[in-house]
Amino acid sequence: SDGNPLFLEVLLQSAFRSGVIARQGGTLHWDEAKDRQGTIPDSIHKLLEQHLSHLEKEDRALLNLASVLGKRFEFEVLLALSGASEDDLLDWIDEVLKERILIEIPQGRGEIFEFQFTKLKDLCYEELSDQEKSKLHLKAGNFYEKRFHKGDKAALFETATHYAFSRSDAQALGIHLAAAQAAWQQYAMETTRFNLLRVRDIGFDVLRSPQELYNELLEGLKLEGHLNFHQGRYSEADDA
């Protein structure tokens, strides 16, 4: 339940919908017969599936799409990826907020929403085929890359992540290298290392690819050497 007390609320909603709990006058009544019928799910996974089961197909599809963006996502990004009208998407947001599937996160920039539970996001994500995931991650990567080129430096890391999940090696390699270089300039060493490891992993998979990708791998290994030397990992600096 992610330590989230609202998970109990979902469980109670399930009990009310199934009739296991009912109001009689001013008190609540527990129907043992219906409980024995197994109307309340016996696992978190089944409970979350039941929580989503009453949604329309189109609403469920939007949740699956949102799951590609992670547990927390921006309304603007979902709007761009979904192709829905702003009014329709706002209506959908209102509906899933009422159902406590998503919650709104106060932010200074744009509208931010979050899945109530990580397991709920994972459940939606796993409903997508590998091909659908790859296609949507690529689309998200394209969106964030455009945002980066418009001056949003933070979008670079999102771009790299989505290109990696899209399995678009040619795009992911260059973006991870750029992200590593940007993080290095900001002295964000762990972020630098993470992106350089991605450069290394992707780069060695594409050694037979065009010379441009090979050059990017060399640039990444060079920067990795500087990072290792800066952090006192001298033997690893020599290896890089």
Side-chain angles (χ1 to χ4, degrees):
S1 65
D2 298 333
N4 191 332
L6 289 176
F7 181 78
L8 180 59
E9 182 179 324
V10 176
L11 181 61
L12 290 173
Q13 285 176 350
S14 173
F16 275 108
R17 283 198 186 105
S18 62
V20 172
I21 297 178
R23 286 188 175 90
Q24 294 182 353
T27 61
L28 297 177
H29 174 71
W30 185 275
D31 191 323
E32 294 186 12
K34 288 187 178 180
D35 187 19
R36 286 195 293 271
Q37 292 172 7
T39 52
I40 293 183
D42 58 2
S43 71
I44 291 177
H45 183 84
K46 289 179 181 178
L47 176 61
L48 294 177
E49 280 187 332
Q50 187 184 81
H51 189 50
L52 297 176
S53 63
H54 64 285
L55 292 177
E56 297 290 339
K57 183 178 179 180
E58 295 77 9
D59 295 337
R60 191 73 178 261
L62 279 171
L63 275 178
N64 294 348
L65 174 58
S67 72
V68 172
L69 301 174
K71 186 180 181 186
R72 181 174 294 189
F73 61 90
E74 295 177 60
F75 177 84
E76 179 188 359
V77 184
L78 183 60
L79 181 63
L81 266 62
S82 68
S85 71
E86 185 171 354
D87 287 342
D88 286 345
L89 195 57
L90 285 171
D91 288 343
W92 173 80
I93 287 287
D94 287 341
E95 180 65 26
V96 291
L97 286 176
K98 289 176 185 175
E99 293 291 336
R100 310 302 289 270
I101 294 170
L102 300 180
I103 56 175
E104 188 168 5
I105 305 297
Q107 291 279 350
R109 169 189 160 182
E111 295 175 283
I112 309 292
F113 299 93
E114 182 175 288
F115 280 88
Q116 185 72 264
F117 310 106
T118 301
K119 291 181 177 66
L120 186 56
K121 185 270 296 182
D122 294 341
L123 176 63
C124 293
Y125 188 74
E126 290 309 315
E127 286 191 348
L128 297 167
S129 67
D130 289 343
Q131 185 177 7
E132 288 173 320
K133 290 175 187 175
S134 181
K135 181 180 178 181
L136 291 171
H137 278 299
L138 181 59
K139 194 172 181 180
N142 290 337
F143 176 89
Y144 281 111
E145 186 175 10
K146 289 176 183 175
R147 179 183 277 184
F148 167 71
H149 289 307
K150 290 179 180 178
D152 184 352
K153 301 299 182 184
L156 184 60
F157 304 107
E158 291 285 356
T159 306
T161 300
H162 283 292
Y163 278 153
F165 280 112
S166 74
R167 301 184 183 134
S168 178
D169 290 340
Q171 289 169 294
L173 181 60
I175 292 295
H176 276 294
L177 176 59
Q181 291 168 334
W184 172 255
Q185 292 173 358
Q186 297 168 14
Y187 300 102
M189 301 306 170
E190 291 307 312
T191 303
T192 302
R193 182 169 297 282
F194 167 79
N195 282 284
L196 287 176
L197 288 174
R198 291 298 302 145
V199 169
R200 180 188 281 267
D201 290 344
I202 296 170
F204 283 115
D205 286 340
V206 296
L207 279 176
R208 297 180 182 179
S209 297
Q211 184 68 27
E212 180 183 355
L213 298 186
Y214 182 69
N215 291 337
E216 287 179 340
L217 172 60
L218 291 180
E219 283 297 314
L221 292 175
K222 180 180 177 181
L223 181 55
E224 186 178 352
H226 289 313
L227 175 64
N228 288 331
F229 186 82
H230 179 82
Q231 295 185 324
R233 303 180 183 188
Y234 303 118
S235 61
E236 294 178 44
D238 290 339
D239 291 342

